[in-house]
């Protein structure tokens, strides 16, 4: 590890890809003689904290890069070991992980010449945030592994079938609300600090949809869960496509909404007030563009653009073809705001002033245009590349990769960048961040071979496997 930086400085720009692969190889964790994951970061200049662990969401990016290169063994081992760590008992004790929860992270612990895996379900995390997204990413990784290797037998094993259903139980059965979306606390996914992403954040809904699609393929066809999953898919798809969608026509409707409507005939179903439309949006939203808003709930519409949720919506066909094109048009027309000097902004715009104080709790790490608050995260390259390939705009992926290639190696693969244009290495960013490296490699492979898109994409027709027709879905959403 001590010689890692010297190794990188000696690498010429022409060997960028080789350097990235070497860095990814250096991040691999072995357990009992077998590779089982990748550490979050190998920055020897900073205290490890939990960056020496393998995070489920981070490894999902590594898994994509590795599977595209034909390296399935480490992904298989990861799936088996994390399945073994999944909470398998029902607990009334509030301090124990709920049934079906996948770990946020794990690490190899050495004690008395023995090795074992220690899992963290959020009880050690900063602010003790819940890893809601871990099980959703795990399902996507399992589905990608099966697509890449053809090893369907692994997913059909009894223990894997039970693990899939435990994740589904956690998402489908225990709830207070009457929406098809998932209700989560703040910081329940990649944005794991206070950022106003509690409730029904888009990133979680896009991952939820993706996990349901994956589960519908991975479960045995005769399983009783299959029709339940398909039905929820239909309701969720209709809800997101219709209520989260925002383009200029939709904005004009919201601006003239009546409020305090009661009953089934209500048009303004969530009682959104026109005065909550931010001033910046009027000029920023182009005529031919659109996107899914960041959050939607009672009396609340978060108009911020969240990159991962929108890109995943394109990749997995949660968005219609027309909506997918509109999102990419928005990214293209607002390129300087969303991509700038480093792809790409995790959300836009940043919270500032009083909003920053109230919503983030004056978080010094999430100051405006830093970290989760409008920071630029290079790992998103792979999702941008996949979305660009899916919509026939591969030139945007190449342009973004070219921009990133100019800085990532010489900057030693930072976790994130700061500033409105993303020109500054994040003030608290780790170097040699594994999902930055893996995101770059996955993006490069998607550009070189578009067939890799099959690992993570779903056809739009998949949502029509719902047991109800559209008329019934509309009726039940009224």
């Amino acid at each position: 590890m001590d010689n890692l930086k010297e190794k990188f400085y000696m690498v010429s720009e022409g060997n960028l890809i080789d350097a990235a692969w070497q860095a990814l190889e250096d991040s691999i964790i072995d357990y009992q003689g077998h590779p089982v994951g990748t550490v979050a970061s190998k920055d020897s200049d900073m205290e490890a904290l939990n960056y020496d662990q393998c995070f489920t969401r981070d490894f999902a990016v590594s898994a994509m890069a590795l599977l595209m290169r034909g390296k399935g063994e480490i992904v298989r081992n990861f799936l088996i070991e994390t399945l073994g760590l999944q909470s398998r008992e029902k607990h009334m004790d509030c301090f124990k992980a709920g049934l079906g929860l996948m770990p946020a992270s794990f690490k190899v612990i050495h004690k008395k010449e023995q090795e074992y895996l220690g899992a963290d379900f959020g009880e050690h995390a900063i602010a003790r945030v819940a890893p809601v997204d871990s099980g959703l990413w795990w399902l996507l990784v399992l589905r990608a592994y099966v697509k890449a290797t053809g090893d369907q037998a692994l997913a059909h094993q009894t223990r894997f079938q039970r693990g899939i259903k435990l994740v589904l139980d956690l998402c489908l059965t225990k709830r207070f609300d009457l929406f098809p979306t998932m209700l989560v606390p703040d910081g329940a996914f990649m944005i794991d600090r206070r950022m106003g992403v509690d409730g029904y954040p888009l990133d979680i809904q896009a991952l939820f949809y993706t996990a349901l699609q994956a589960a519908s393929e991975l479960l045995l066809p005769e399983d009783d869960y299959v029709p339940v999953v398909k039905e929820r898919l239909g309701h969720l798809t209709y809800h997101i496509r219709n209520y989260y969608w925002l383009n200029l026509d939709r904005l004009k409707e919201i601006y003239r909404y009546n409020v305090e409507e009661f009953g089934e005939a209500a048009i303004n179903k969530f009682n959104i007030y026109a005065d909550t439309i931010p001033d910046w949006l009027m000029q920023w939203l182009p005529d031919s563009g659109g996107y899914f808003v960041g959050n939607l709930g009672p009396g609340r519409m978060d108009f911020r653009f969240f990159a991962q949720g929108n890109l995943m919506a394109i990749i997995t066909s949660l968005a219609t073809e027309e909506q997918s094109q509109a999102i990419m048009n928005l990214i293209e027309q607002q390129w300087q705001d969303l991509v700038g000097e480093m792809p790409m902004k995790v959300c836009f715009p940043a919270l500032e002033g009083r909003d920053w104080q109230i919503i983030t709790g004056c978080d010094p790490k999430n100051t405006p245009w830093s970290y989760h608050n409008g920071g630029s995260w290079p790992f998103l390259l792979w999702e941008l590349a996949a979305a660009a390939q899916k919509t026939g705009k591969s030139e945007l992926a190449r342009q973004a990769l070219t921009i990133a290639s100019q800085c990532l190696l010489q900057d030693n693969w930072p976790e994130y960048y700061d500033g409105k244009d993303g020109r500054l290495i994040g003030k608290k960013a780790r170097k040699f961040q594994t999902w930055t490296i893996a995101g770059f490699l996955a993006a490069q492979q998607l550009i070189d071979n578009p067939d890799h898109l099959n690992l993570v994409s779903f056809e739009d027709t998949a949502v029509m496997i719902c047991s109800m027709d559209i008329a019934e879905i509309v009726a039940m959403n009224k």
Side-chain angles (χ1 to χ4, degrees):
M1 186 186 299
D2 293 337
N3 297 324
L4 194 59
K5 290 188 178 180
E6 288 76 4
K7 182 192 302 182
F8 270 75
Y9 286 127
M10 294 171 60
V11 179
S12 67
E13 185 177 351
N15 292 324
L16 174 61
I17 304 297
D18 291 339
W21 278 116
Q22 184 58 57
L24 185 59
E25 291 286 339
D26 290 342
S27 74
I28 291 176
I29 300 171
D30 284 332
Y31 174 59
Q32 295 183 353
H34 302 287
V36 293
T38 51
V39 294
S41 168
K42 293 197 71 172
D43 189 342
S44 58
D45 290 340
M46 299 182 74
E47 185 182 357
L49 297 178
N50 57 355
Y51 281 81
D52 62 347
Q53 300 187 26
C54 177
F55 282 81
T56 303
R57 73 172 69 96
D58 293 39
F59 183 76
V61 186
S62 296
M64 299 309 159
L66 292 163
L67 288 171
M68 290 175 193
R69 209 183 196 201
K71 294 183 174 291
E73 179 194 2
I74 182 174
V75 181
R76 190 179 197 274
N77 294 339
F78 166 84
L79 290 165
I80 292 171
E81 297 300 340
T82 47
L83 180 65
L85 296 172
Q86 183 185 34
S87 179
R88 291 298 182 101
E89 296 181 8
K90 186 175 181 179
H91 294 292
M92 299 299 286
D93 185 343
C94 63
F95 295 109
K96 293 184 178 179
L99 182 65
L101 192 65
M102 284 289 182
S105 63
F106 67 86
K107 67 181 298 183
V108 180
I109 298 174
H110 302 271
K111 188 174 182 180
K112 295 181 179 179
E113 300 184 354
Q114 291 186 333
E115 285 185 340
Y116 66 94
L117 295 180
D120 181 6
F121 291 91
E123 69 268 34
H124 301 296
I126 295 172
R128 306 301 188 257
V129 290
V132 176
D133 63 337
S134 293
L136 309 180
W137 281 116
W138 186 86
L139 282 171
L140 179 58
V141 172
L142 176 57
R143 190 261 189 175
Y145 168 80
V146 171
K147 293 283 285 187
T149 65
D151 185 11
Q152 201 166 33
L154 181 71
H156 286 175
Q157 289 179 13
T158 301
R159 57 177 175 164
F160 270 83
Q161 290 290 297
R162 181 168 183 249
I164 293 168
K165 288 189 279 191
L166 285 175
V167 173
L168 292 174
D169 286 341
L170 199 60
C171 297
L172 296 174
T173 61
K174 302 293 190 292
R175 58 196 183 94
F176 291 100
D177 58 339
L178 296 176
F179 299 138
T181 42
M182 277 185 67
L183 177 64
V184 299
D186 215 342
F189 54 104
M190 174 256 173
I191 298 178
D192 57 359
R193 300 172 78 90
R194 272 183 62 183
M195 272 290 293
V197 290
D198 56 309
Y200 306 89
L202 174 65
D203 282 33
I204 283 290
Q205 312 316 322
L207 285 173
F208 182 33
Y209 169 90
T210 304
L212 290 175
Q213 287 279 40
S216 70
E217 293 184 12
L218 296 168
L219 289 169
L220 295 171
E222 66 275 10
D223 196 286
D224 292 342
Y225 276 64
V226 172
V228 176
V229 168
K230 291 179 178 180
E231 181 177 313
R232 186 62 166 268
L233 267 172
H235 293 309
L236 180 63
T237 303
Y238 179 87
H239 188 92
I240 299 297
R241 288 181 177 179
N242 286 275
Y243 301 134
Y244 278 67
W245 181 247
L246 185 69
N247 57 13
L248 193 56
D249 289 340
R250 178 73 168 144
L251 184 61
K252 291 176 181 178
E253 290 178 16
I254 296 171
Y255 184 72
R256 291 175 54 83
Y257 263 164
N258 291 321
V259 296
E260 309 301 329
E261 294 180 307
F262 177 79
E264 293 183 1
I267 295 174
N268 185 1
K269 297 183 184 302
F270 297 93
N271 203 35
I272 306 301
Y273 288 84
D275 287 345
T276 63
I277 299 173
D279 293 338
W280 63 266
L281 184 61
M282 306 292 191
Q283 301 299 320
W284 192 74
L285 188 61
D287 292 347
S288 61
Y291 65 101
F292 293 111
V293 296
N295 212 325
L296 179 66
R300 177 188 188 186
M301 180 174 281
D302 185 343
F303 293 94
R304 287 176 292 175
F305 175 90
F306 286 82
Q308 182 159 256
N310 276 280
L311 294 174
M312 287 299 293
I314 294 173
I315 297 165
T316 62
S317 295
L318 173 56
T320 65
E321 175 61 28
E322 183 180 1
Q323 289 171 336
S324 297
Q325 291 294 334
I327 294 169
M328 294 306 295
N329 287 343
L330 173 68
I331 293 172
E332 187 172 12
Q333 293 182 55
Q334 300 296 355
W335 187 263
Q336 192 58 37
D337 284 338
L338 299 177
V339 177
E341 301 296 320
M342 178 54 64
M344 83 176 278
K345 284 275 180 277
V346 67
C347 69
F348 181 91
L351 297 170
E352 300 182 279
R354 190 63 173 160
D355 286 342
W356 169 76
Q357 292 177 328
I358 294 172
I359 294 175
T360 74
C362 298
D363 187 349
K365 196 168 184 177
N366 270 335
T367 53
W369 308 110
S370 180
Y371 203 53
H372 297 143
N373 189 17
S376 299
W377 291 70
F379 88 89
L380 290 168
L381 269 169
W382 84 272
E383 291 173 324
L384 178 58
Q389 292 284 25
K390 185 80 177 277
T391 54
K393 293 181 178 288
S394 57
E395 71 280 0
L396 293 182
R398 292 189 180 91
Q399 186 177 346
L401 201 63
T402 298
I403 293 171
S405 298
Q406 296 171 1
C407 299
L408 287 179
L409 180 61
Q410 69 183 37
D411 292 343
N412 294 326
W413 311 101
E415 180 182 11
Y416 65 95
Y417 286 75
D418 283 352
K420 277 192 174 183
D421 296 329
R423 299 181 67 182
L424 303 172
I425 297 173
K427 65 178 77 171
K428 300 289 186 180
R430 300 279 171 149
K431 303 291 185 70
F432 305 103
Q433 186 78 14
T434 301
W435 71 350
T436 295
I437 299 161
F440 171 81
L441 289 170
Q444 184 66 60
Q445 291 177 100
L446 281 162
I447 291 173
D448 292 342
N449 184 1
D451 288 344
H452 288 318
L453 186 61
N454 293 328
L455 299 184
V456 291
S457 68
F458 298 87
E459 295 302 319
D460 189 27
T461 52
V463 302
M464 302 313 297
I465 57 182
C466 175
S467 60
M468 298 181 172
D469 61 27
I470 291 297
E472 289 179 289
I473 294 172
V474 173
M476 293 193 69
N477 276 277
K478 285 186 177 179

